[in-house]
Amino acid sequence: MIQTITLEQTLPAVFAGSEGEPPVSRSQVWLRDVIFSRPDYYMIEAESGTGKSSLCAYIYGSRVDYSGRILFDGIDTRTLDINRWSALRREALAYLPQEMMLFPELTVMENIAIKNRLTDCKSTAEIEQMLARLEIDDKRNTPAGRLSVGQQQRVAIIRSLCQPFDFLLVDEPVSHLDARNNAAVAALIDAEASARGAAVIATSVGNKISLPNLNILML
């Protein structure tokens, strides 16, 4: 279980040497000491190219090209071995990347089941209920590659929720959704995170997810 994620003077390697220049000099995240705590919700607002996807990847441990430190409950994530990372990604960290990474030839249910079989987190009935809440239950047997981008985004969101988590990282989760679907996705994420006492860290370039009581930071 993770209670806090702390960034200590973290900076992407690509920004090295530009510490006194925009966008780094204006950032409330880079080269700052920032603490994300359960069960709060956070919105990282960013311009394109300022490192929002990199931030998610650093926290998830899939990239390490940064200076400074990232701590889970005071433990430097650079010291974690692959077994510990595997356990954290299975039990504590859920992640929705901007690219979504669905298998286009597999159906909606098959894409979700790949994740759910690994975690045994949701029943078929619960998955069906989430599909209905996001109004894509009629697409359950449709290959993901035949869906609109907005429908694919909703499938990927449901898949990301099919595991235990202390922190949910969502990179531009509603970038392809209208206001009504944004609200539906936000309500589902809020319900799932609240049930777990989990924190949410979301990023946005433009369209922000409509979660309540957001702590907003400029990247």
Side-chain angles (χ1 to χ4, degrees):
M1 181 177 291
I2 303 173
Q3 295 292 342
T4 61
I5 294 175
T6 303
L7 274 59
E8 289 187 347
Q9 301 295 308
T10 306
L11 184 69
V14 70
F15 293 152
S18 59
E19 290 84 351
E21 303 171 4
V24 175
S25 61
R26 298 193 301 262
S27 175
Q28 296 175 308
V29 176
W30 301 137
L31 292 179
R32 304 289 190 270
D33 292 342
V34 180
I35 300 176
F36 302 106
S37 302
R38 296 176 62 196
D40 294 335
Y41 296 167
Y42 301 88
M43 171 58 65
I44 310 298
E45 292 190 352
E47 298 175 2
S48 181
T50 55
K52 61 175 183 52
S53 295
S54 298
L55 174 62
C56 292
Y58 297 158
I59 293 174
Y60 197 65
S62 54
R63 286 177 55 184
V64 294
D65 53 319
Y66 62 87
S67 59
R69 298 201 303 168
I70 298 176
L71 312 176
F72 294 167
D73 295 336
I75 298 173
D76 191 332
T77 58
R78 292 184 187 275
T79 68
L80 303 177
D81 62 22
I82 188 62
N83 291 328
R84 183 59 180 147
W85 272 117
S86 295
L88 288 171
R89 291 168 184 157
R90 187 172 58 249
E91 300 166 2
L93 292 172
Y95 180 29
L96 172 65
Q98 185 180 355
E99 297 82 4
M100 295 183 282
M101 298 182 179
L102 298 175
F103 294 94
E105 71 280 7
L106 299 183
T107 69
V108 166
M109 286 298 288
E110 287 169 341
N111 268 282
I112 295 170
I114 288 174
K115 175 74 169 286
N116 198 55
R117 279 198 299 268
L118 295 173
T119 62
D120 195 28
C121 181
K122 297 289 187 181
S123 67
T124 300
E126 288 173 323
I127 293 171
E128 293 277 2
Q129 288 170 2
M130 289 194 289
L131 289 169
R133 286 188 66 166
L134 300 190
E135 299 182 0
I136 48 174
D137 49 319
D138 62 328
K139 304 296 184 183
R140 64 174 67 81
N141 296 318
T142 301
R146 296 183 186 175
L147 302 178
S148 70
V149 178
Q151 290 168 337
Q152 291 180 27
Q153 195 163 47
R154 282 175 275 168
V155 173
I157 287 164
I158 291 171
R159 184 187 58 185
S160 71
L161 297 173
C162 288
Q163 71 166 88
F165 61 87
D166 300 322
F167 282 81
L168 173 64
L169 311 172
V170 283
D171 190 6
E172 288 200 70
V174 295
S175 57
H176 301 286
L177 303 183
D178 59 19
R180 182 169 60 86
N181 284 309
N182 182 329
V185 163
L188 178 61
I189 288 176
D190 184 30
E192 292 289 324
S194 295
R196 295 167 167 83
V200 178
I201 302 174
T203 71
S204 173
V205 169
N207 194 17
K208 297 189 289 292
I209 188 168
S210 303
L211 289 168
N213 301 316
L214 277 170
N215 297 285
I216 298 176
L217 297 170
M218 298 299 297
L219 191 60

